[in-house]
Structures are given as structure tokens and as C-alpha cells.
Amino acid sequence: MRLTFVFSLVTLFIATSCSPKLSTGNSAADQFDTDQRSLITSAAADEPMRVFKITNREDSILLRTASERVQINPNDRTLQLFIDRLLTTVQDSMSLGVGIAAPQVGILKNIIWVQRFDKADLPWEVFINPVIVQYSDLTRKGMEGCLSIPDRREECQRSYAILIEYDRPDGSHHTEMVEDFTAVIFQHEIDHLNGILYLDHLASDLAED
């Protein structure tokens, strides 16, 4: 079945849109506030962070808050430490998810990790300031769970394919089309950056509000 949307010619630049675009807004010194910096630097890169849960009132409030754009500086050691600890968290035996977003560990920054089921060897990749710029009309249904929503899984409907833009830690900017289950992971994690949980997509939950 054909996708019902057509990408513009800009998608032809996917392979060539990797020139560095370092942000000049904030310096590395003020990338994180005092509480965030303390949380990130409280342990080494191989130590997982606590996953925030909606069953905790304060956690739930933070999970419902939109995250901030990241000012990329390859020399920001705190940023790199956080990226590493976020991956350690999702790969920890207590979590074992297929994706994670920064708000899930209490850091309101636009950073996600996604396991790429659309690539050989299923690699983990980090995405900074990811944005979905186009959705397919074609959708798929599938079961979703969330590290921040304990003991619950529901069938959720998502777009089959999406066009995303994002940055890498080196400051390079990219555009990419993603399909099928991996596209679902991206939609789930990017929702977190906007204070949205997968439960919000369920008709039954919306009807109860």
C-alpha cells in the first residue's frame, strides 16, 4: 500500500545536510540549571538514572512539562555525560526499553535515544532537538508500553511513516524518513519532549477526561 503523502525535494538533501550548525545561544556553562547539573553529575556514565513514573505526583508533573531546545556544544562535558547516562538507563536491566527521552529521568531537554529496528544489528542512536515535520496518512496499530507508566500496555494508533529533522552531538543537522515500528518509537519519544504520554492517544482515556 502506497504512502499517501509525498516528500518535497528537500528530502534529497538527507545525505548532504550534515554540515555543522553549532548553536551560539547559551554557553556550556549555562546549558543546565543547578539542579539538572547536580542530577547528571551525581554518578559516572555507566550508572543509570532514576526513571520518573506517573505514579509519583511530582514525577507526573514534570513528565507533563515540555522540554527545552538543546544548545549544542561538543565541548560541553555535562551534556556528553548526560547523553551517556541516558543510554545506560534505557539499557539497564531494570528498564530494557526500546527508547527513552530526557524528561523520563527528570531532565527537560530535547534529547532522545532510539533503538533502530530498521537497521542492521539494531543500533542505538541519539537524537538532539528532534522534530517531526511530516506524518503519513497511512497508520499502523500496535501495543505500546512506557518506562514511565508501570504495568500497563495498550494498543495505540500511529502514523506508519514520518519525516524528522534532528541534530547530532557534533552539531550536524539531518533530515530522515523513518517507517514502521521504528517510526512508532520516534513518535512515542518525541511526544515525551512535548509533555505527551501515549495514553493521550487512546480514545478511551480521552473520553474519560
Side-chain angles (χ1 to χ4, degrees):
M1 184 174 183
R2 293 184 61 187
L3 300 182
T4 58
F5 69 100
V6 179
F7 295 117
S8 64
L9 290 177
V10 69
T11 59
L12 295 176
F13 292 95
I14 292 174
T16 60
S17 59
C18 301
S19 58
K21 295 184 179 180
L22 301 185
S23 299
T24 57
N26 296 342
S27 67
D30 60 10
Q31 178 69 251
F32 300 95
D33 63 32
T34 301
D35 291 339
Q36 291 173 335
R37 189 176 295 277
S38 177
L39 184 60
I40 293 168
T41 60
S42 63
D46 59 355
E47 289 291 327
M49 302 175 73
R50 181 178 75 84
V51 175
F52 279 42
K53 308 288 179 63
I54 63 168
T55 48
N56 177 292
R57 184 176 181 277
E58 291 186 359
D59 287 3
S60 184
I61 292 173
L62 184 140
L63 289 168
R64 288 299 192 174
T65 304
S67 294
E68 301 174 342
R69 184 174 179 81
V70 175
Q71 304 297 328
I72 301 176
N73 184 335
N75 297 318
D76 187 343
R77 295 181 181 178
T78 303
L79 176 60
Q80 187 56 58
L81 174 61
F82 175 59
I83 289 171
D84 293 341
R85 291 197 67 192
L86 191 59
L87 177 61
T88 298
T89 303
V90 71
Q91 293 181 327
D92 182 63
S93 61
M94 296 297 290
S95 299
L96 292 179
V98 294
I100 193 169
Q104 291 183 272
V105 293
I107 305 296
L108 292 173
K109 294 292 183 180
N110 288 341
I111 304 173
I112 64 174
W113 277 96
V114 170
Q115 187 168 17
R116 299 299 300 259
F117 287 85
D118 55 345
K119 293 185 177 183
D121 300 323
L122 312 180
W124 282 90
E125 295 181 358
V126 64
F127 301 86
I128 300 177
N129 302 320
V131 177
I132 300 174
V133 297
Q134 199 163 12
Y135 296 83
S136 68
D137 291 331
L138 179 66
T139 61
R140 73 186 298 282
K141 286 186 177 181
M143 298 299 292
E144 287 189 38
C146 181
L147 300 179
S148 295
I149 305 175
D151 307 317
R152 183 168 180 176
R153 288 177 60 82
E154 302 282 354
E155 187 175 66
C156 191
Q157 186 163 309
R158 301 277 190 178
S159 289
Y160 177 83
I162 55 175
L163 182 67
I164 59 173
E165 292 185 2
Y166 59 88
D167 300 319
R168 290 295 194 190
D170 64 0
S172 60
H173 188 74
H174 304 258
T175 303
E176 181 178 0
M177 186 181 75
V178 187
E179 299 179 347
D180 208 10
F181 181 58
T182 303
V184 170
I185 303 174
F186 273 100
Q187 290 170 80
H188 181 112
E189 302 308 335
I190 291 174
D191 270 355
H192 274 300
L193 303 182
N194 295 305
I196 298 170
L197 302 177
Y198 83 85
L199 298 180
D200 300 332
H201 294 280
L202 306 180
S204 59
D205 287 83
L206 292 174
E208 293 173 2
D209 289 345

